[in-house]
Amino acid sequence: MTTQVEYNIDNDVIDKLVGLQAGSSLHALRHQREKVAVATQGSYDTLFDPALEGIGLDERLLVALYACRLAGATDVAAHYRARLDALPADAVQLTVAASGEPEQLPAGRLRAMLIFTRALTERPVEGDKAALHTLPAAGISTPAVVALSQLIAFVSYQIRVVAGLKAMKLASN
């Protein structure tokens, strides 16, 4: 069970990824509906809480890095890579998430997670019942499958928010 972390505007990941400065017009616009910023950061905090059961933090960060790479979001990928660099992550797994293909990994949890991530990221229609069944077959529990799907959806959302805010920031300069 995770505990609710109080929102701290100074630790907002999206603000940091975009380089939004408190007091700027774009920062004010983003925080005009504060509940959205709070919910977004709350989702991030929950999905990357080390205490989240069923999927290791390293696995979740590898999935996030891989999803960012597939989407071409190098700036967001760098964030997840830095988080992974702070952990004792497996070098081969890190290389695959950063620049390889899941099929390079031995059969198992991470390989199945990354293949599922690729399906949902590149061809969501392939994230069907058959794709879902590969996860329990790799030893991933039903609650962990749900968390994995939520994680992939969140990272996709995060990438789009960052890209949109960066475009707005660029247009206003």
Side-chain angles (χ1 to χ4, degrees):
M1 176 83 123
T2 60
T3 57
Q4 185 67 27
V5 177
E6 189 168 322
Y7 178 70
N8 179 345
I9 196 168
D10 295 328
N11 291 327
D12 188 287
V13 172
I14 288 182
D15 284 355
K16 288 180 179 185
L17 288 170
V18 177
L20 294 182
Q21 300 297 317
S24 71
S25 59
L26 190 54
H27 185 271
L29 178 64
R30 174 159 189 262
H31 290 275
Q32 192 170 28
R33 291 198 59 219
E34 192 68 6
K35 69 181 182 179
V36 175
V38 169
T40 299
Q41 184 63 40
S43 293
Y44 175 89
D45 292 340
T46 299
L47 289 167
F48 294 101
D49 182 342
L52 183 66
E53 295 179 12
I55 306 175
L57 178 59
D58 59 336
E59 292 172 319
R60 286 177 271 144
L61 291 168
L62 288 162
V63 164
L65 173 61
Y66 185 60
C68 290
R69 182 180 66 108
L70 292 173
T74 56
D75 47 356
V76 184
H79 167 76
Y80 289 111
R81 176 63 189 249
R83 291 214 42 201
L84 278 160
D85 287 344
L87 296 177
D90 178 274
V92 172
Q93 292 176 346
L94 188 54
T95 298
V96 167
S99 61
E101 295 298 326
E103 292 79 10
Q104 294 173 290
L105 294 171
R109 290 173 55 89
L110 185 61
R111 180 179 175 161
M113 286 181 203
L114 294 182
I115 290 171
F116 185 69
T117 300
R118 182 174 58 204
L120 288 187
T121 302
E122 293 183 338
R123 295 171 303 278
V125 73
E126 291 182 15
D128 60 6
K129 188 176 182 179
L132 279 170
H133 282 119
T134 65
L135 299 170
I140 302 165
S141 69
T142 300
V145 170
V146 172
L148 175 64
S149 298
Q150 291 172 331
L151 172 69
I152 296 165
F154 173 79
V155 171
S156 177
Y157 162 78
Q158 183 185 46
I159 289 168
R160 284 161 180 71
V161 170
V162 168
L165 288 168
K166 283 190 169 191
M168 291 173 70
K169 186 177 179 183
L170 191 63
S172 69
N173 289 336

